[in-house]
Amino acid sequence: MSWFKRKTKGITTTTEEKKDTPRGLWYKSPTGKIVDAEELERNFYVSPEDGYHVRIGSKEYFEILFDDNKFTELDANLESKDPLKFEDTKKYPERLKSAQDKTKLKDAVRVGVGKSKGKDLVVACMDFAFIGGSMGSVVGEKIARAADYSLKHNIPLMVISKSGGARMMEAALSLMQLAKTSVKLAQLADAQIPYISLCTDPTTGGTTASFAMLGDINISEPGALIGFAGPRIVRDTTGKELPEGFQTAEFLLEHGFLDFITVRKELKNKVNQYLDLILNQPLRA
Amino acid sequence: MEYLEFELPIKELEEQLQKCRIIGEESEVDVTETCKNIESKLKETQKEIYKNLTPWQRVQLSRHPNRPYTLDYIKAICGDTFLELHGDRSFKDDKAMIGGLGKIGDQSYMFIGQQKGYNTKTRQYRNFGMANPEGYRKALRLMKSAEKFGIPVVTLLDTPGAYPGLEAEERGQGEAIARNILEMTRLKVPVITIVIGEGASGGALGIGVGDVVLMLENTWYSVISPESCSSILWRSWEYKEQAAEALKLTASDMKKLKLVDEIIKEPLGGAHRDREKTFTTVSNTIVKVYEDLKNLSPEELVSKRMDKYSNMGVFKD
């Protein structure tokens, strides 16, 4: 005997009437803490209970850094080509197309210029969602042009790295972007324009071996993975178990490669505090 | 002499030729004609094989166990004038990265390069040509020292990559390479870079930002080794040949892409087949390239170098 009796057989509720939890309403952090999506956004995409910094992209970082989310995007239309006719299990142009469709981005970095606490700032921010935030010709060129803009207008530059490294599908062309971006950073340095490198989760490979480690200050967020060789490669090569916390932001701070770690909520304040101090300007409130 | 798989037909003919000569010496039989025939067949086979090398075969040649390494070049080119210099002045002396001063003719040069070993023991000693952060810092120290005294820098690239070790990460492998790349873009003396073997990624570029970048004919230069590329993109080690093809990593591909300036011809069969000839060619090339660079002022040098690297990349605007 059952407690409820079905009058008609099967499921009769139509998909439209289904009372499902809408996707994206809740976020679950790696330690299992659950947070309401809107609350997460209000909390700078940091899980309030355990302080976990959720991976975010250029849209969110621009929102955090620019006053009233107002900024002008530079070189928004730069797109990748396929100079090597690269094909692995998929053709490179197909990979690009599907990444563009999925992310609504043109490539793995966006550059914005706008006011942060009332003063101009150029921010180049990588998007990990676009082919692992990999650096090919477009990423190199956009960062180089961002630095050119900084040089021309005497505005500090901030690059937010979030990348698996150089993009394999452009092979040596990607590799040479390490040199290209470094050329521009050398010019910025000679012109005494501050350059801030924010390394976010994850920053590895060619990105670490170029602009991510070359800031006047290198800073990061709690728990971010930062390294040259990825942890799996290090483990496979050395055959050693990796110590706890290996290649985290805290590990890099301890070994002397970061100036400080900041929680996302304080990011805008800390960046501008540094700029006022290094440029010997009155501190903005 | 060790032979690669695709060189086996050559090995066979060479052995035949040797036997033929021995027979000629030890017996009354006239083998002149037979030896001649084998010799011409050998030459033809060599030409045929080496003319049509696939990218993967070039990669194999670049790693040939008999191939000359950095110190072989330097010692042959500079002879007794070479003075090796050690240490990064903060941690230790990296055996995988060597450097020092030497003369070609009347001109001093600062030579820097990754060093591989030639047997099991020395391979371990040289860490298979994979430098640690202290190696890159040693290289930079030597470059800055050369800059101070107006000495041109020659870097010889031959590495399967920067060492991906625990301690390397602790000591900032990424930072060390990044710092070198940046400082090399603005070094005020001529920098001549030659890929003599493997040019693997950041580990190679970390001493590879030059006014003129040359590649020996049977070397490769790319963002990743074909094996690692295969394992990441195809999720298997089996596709290294396709990966070598796809990466466009040979000297001629790199020249077409305008990422390197010149290709240095190797003797038929590779640099190891006639080491002396290879050393002479490389030495002459360095002198010739320096002749052109020495007339530029430091400012011209740096601005040309910066322009060159700023123009690398292909995209839709």
Side-chain angles (χ1 to χ4, degrees):
Chain A
M1 201 183 85
S2 55
W3 287 16
F4 300 100
K5 201 157 192 173
R6 230 185 242 280
K7 283 182 195 154
T8 48
K9 275 194 175 178
I11 298 163
T12 52
T13 319
T14 59
T15 315
E16 292 80 55
E17 286 170 36
K18 217 169 72 176
K19 289 193 185 80
D20 217 353
T21 323
R23 266 161 57 93
L25 194 58
W26 302 96
Y27 177 81
K28 191 176 170 188
S29 83
T31 58
K33 302 283 187 269
I34 289 170
V35 54
D36 176 78
E38 272 177 40
E39 196 190 334
L40 186 70
E41 197 182 322
R42 272 199 307 277
N43 200 40
F44 300 85
Y45 306 92
V46 175
S47 158
E49 271 190 83
D50 58 6
Y52 177 75
H53 282 57
V54 177
R55 278 187 189 175
I56 53 176
S58 56
K59 177 178 169 285
E60 291 80 12
Y61 276 111
F62 288 163
E63 227 172 85
I64 291 169
L65 286 164
F66 291 122
D67 301 343
D68 308 319
N69 197 23
K70 270 192 219 149
F71 62 92
T72 313
E73 192 173 343
L74 303 179
D75 304 299
N77 293 320
L78 233 60
E79 274 186 75
S80 290
K81 281 171 100 168
D82 181 22
L84 307 184
K85 306 269 169 283
F86 196 94
E87 185 175 356
D88 49 275
T89 52
K90 216 174 177 180
K91 284 186 174 150
Y92 180 39
E94 286 168 25
R95 252 182 223 283
L96 286 168
K97 178 82 175 44
S98 74
Q100 286 180 338
D101 291 346
K102 198 182 85 194
T103 61
K104 308 285 171 235
L105 296 162
K106 294 271 169 149
D107 212 285
V109 73
R110 280 169 73 217
V111 180
V113 51
K115 303 265 185 217
S116 185
K117 287 193 138 195
K119 284 195 180 177
D120 287 327
L121 183 66
V122 178
V123 182
C125 182
M126 303 186 81
D127 280 291
F128 194 73
F130 197 98
I131 320 188
S134 55
M135 167 162 61
S137 299
V138 169
V139 170
E141 179 69 14
K142 281 177 92 166
I143 289 177
R145 289 192 193 181
D148 277 338
Y149 191 93
S150 282
L151 263 174
K152 194 173 163 199
H153 301 276
N154 194 11
I155 302 172
L157 173 70
M158 176 170 180
V159 175
I160 303 176
S161 298
K162 189 181 278 294
S163 163
R167 189 174 295 169
M168 266 178 282
M169 301 77 164
E170 292 182 34
L173 283 160
S174 300
L175 180 64
M176 295 310 159
Q177 304 310 308
L178 276 67
K180 179 182 194 161
T181 50
S182 299
V183 162
K184 293 297 166 185
L185 295 180
Q187 291 172 353
L188 268 190
D190 289 341
Q192 292 172 302
I193 296 171
Y195 163 51
I196 296 168
S197 165
L198 172 64
C199 306
T200 71
D201 188 57
T203 298
T204 59
T207 308
T208 308
S210 58
F211 52 84
M213 280 292 134
L214 293 172
D216 290 303
I217 53 168
N218 301 328
I219 61 177
S220 185
E221 295 176 337
L225 174 86
I226 309 163
F228 174 64
R232 195 174 53 86
I233 296 168
V234 176
R235 196 171 42 231
D236 292 353
T237 313
T238 58
K240 287 185 202 161
E241 268 316 303
L242 306 178
E244 181 140 350
F246 181 62
Q247 294 183 322
T248 56
E250 293 74 12
F251 176 92
L252 267 88
L253 181 70
E254 191 55 35
H255 285 93
F257 294 97
L258 293 177
D259 289 274
F260 57 82
I261 296 170
T262 174
V263 293
R264 217 170 262 161
K265 195 175 159 187
E266 284 299 315
L267 178 64
K268 188 174 177 181
N269 284 334
K270 286 279 177 68
V271 164
N272 285 303
Q273 184 189 355
Y274 167 74
L275 289 174
D276 289 340
L277 288 169
I278 197 73
L279 294 171
N280 200 18
Q281 297 286 315
L283 286 170
R284 284 166 281 171
Chain B
M1 183 69 68
E2 290 184 51
Y3 293 84
L4 301 167
E5 213 184 296
F6 63 87
E7 292 177 313
L8 290 180
I10 297 170
K11 183 186 180 191
E12 215 168 279
L13 286 167
E14 279 182 348
E15 281 169 358
Q16 273 181 30
L17 184 64
Q18 213 173 356
K19 267 185 212 154
C20 178
R21 281 183 184 146
I22 291 169
I23 291 167
E25 278 166 27
E26 291 177 352
S27 70
E28 302 289 300
V29 190
D30 181 19
V31 289
T32 333
E33 198 58 29
T34 326
C35 282
K36 239 188 187 168
N37 280 341
I38 300 173
E39 226 169 298
S40 71
K41 203 169 165 204
L42 175 66
K43 269 191 187 151
E44 240 170 72
T45 315
Q46 279 178 326
K47 259 192 198 159
E48 200 52 41
I49 288 178
Y50 294 120
K51 194 175 66 190
N52 300 310
L53 290 176
T54 65
W56 174 246
Q57 287 171 337
R58 298 241 188 234
V59 171
Q60 288 176 292
L61 269 180
S62 78
R63 298 169 178 165
H64 197 289
N66 299 119
R67 210 175 157 82
Y69 300 133
T70 298
L71 276 172
D72 299 320
Y73 281 93
I74 299 174
K75 284 178 178 162
I77 292 171
C78 304
D80 291 341
T81 69
F82 179 61
L83 183 63
E84 191 175 347
L85 304 169
H86 295 274
D88 72 338
R89 295 298 183 270
S90 66
F91 183 69
K92 74 194 289 191
D93 182 48
D94 193 335
K95 308 292 188 287
M97 182 76 78
I98 63 102
L101 289 159
K103 289 252 185 220
I104 309 179
D106 295 331
Q107 177 64 47
S108 295
Y109 293 87
M110 179 66 83
F111 288 91
I112 294 163
Q114 293 99 350
Q115 178 67 32
K116 290 179 174 174
Y118 51 86
N119 58 23
T120 311
K121 213 173 161 185
T122 54
R123 274 182 204 121
Q124 271 172 355
Y125 178 72
R126 298 295 183 183
N127 200 29
F128 304 90
M130 295 186 283
N132 275 282
E134 52 272 22
Y136 292 98
R137 292 181 182 130
K138 167 183 175 178
L140 182 58
R141 179 179 78 81
L142 296 179
M143 286 186 240
K144 292 302 253 181
S145 171
E147 182 183 47
K148 180 174 168 185
F149 294 100
I151 302 292
V153 173
V154 176
T155 64
L156 302 177
L157 275 49
D158 189 10
T159 180
Y163 188 58
L166 259 165
E167 293 82 6
E169 293 292 318
E170 277 178 2
R171 293 197 289 275
Q173 187 72 286
E175 194 275 345
I177 294 171
R179 183 72 49 204
N180 277 23
I181 295 173
L182 184 136
E183 291 301 339
M184 286 187 88
T185 68
R186 60 178 175 189
L187 206 69
K188 291 187 179 68
V189 288
V191 182
I192 302 166
T193 293
I194 307 174
V195 185
I196 59 165
E198 301 187 84
S201 199
L205 188 65
I207 57 163
V209 181
D211 298 299
V212 175
V213 180
L214 308 107
M215 282 176 83
L216 281 169
E217 197 182 348
N218 297 307
T219 63
W220 66 274
Y221 198 177
S222 196
V223 73
I224 191 167
S225 73
E227 288 94 334
S228 304
C229 179
S230 159
S231 87
I232 294 172
L233 291 182
W234 281 270
R235 300 186 187 283
S236 147
W237 295 93
E238 300 296 308
Y239 296 86
K240 51 186 189 288
E241 288 163 48
Q242 280 100 313
E245 198 91 37
L247 286 167
K248 305 278 188 292
L249 44 62
T250 64
S252 61
D253 283 325
M254 288 293 285
K255 176 137 196 284
K256 264 183 233 153
L257 290 164
K258 295 191 179 124
L259 299 178
V260 302
D261 301 287
E262 290 297 335
I263 300 171
I264 302 176
K265 285 282 271 177
E266 290 183 28
L268 192 66
H272 56 287
R273 285 269 168 175
D274 189 345
R275 293 166 79 102
E276 291 313 314
K277 195 173 164 193
T278 309
F279 298 145
T280 313
T281 318
V282 168
S283 177
N284 292 341
T285 308
I286 294 170
V287 172
K288 198 174 128 256
V289 171
Y290 179 63
E291 281 303 310
D292 292 337
L293 292 175
K294 74 175 184 191
N295 300 318
L296 299 172
S297 71
E299 293 71 30
E300 285 174 309
L301 262 178
V302 172
S303 100
K304 278 184 91 164
R305 194 186 305 140
M306 285 187 161
D307 284 349
K308 170 179 150 172
Y309 282 95
S310 297
N311 286 326
M312 288 183 184
V314 179
F315 47 83
K316 277 186 261 182
D317 211 338

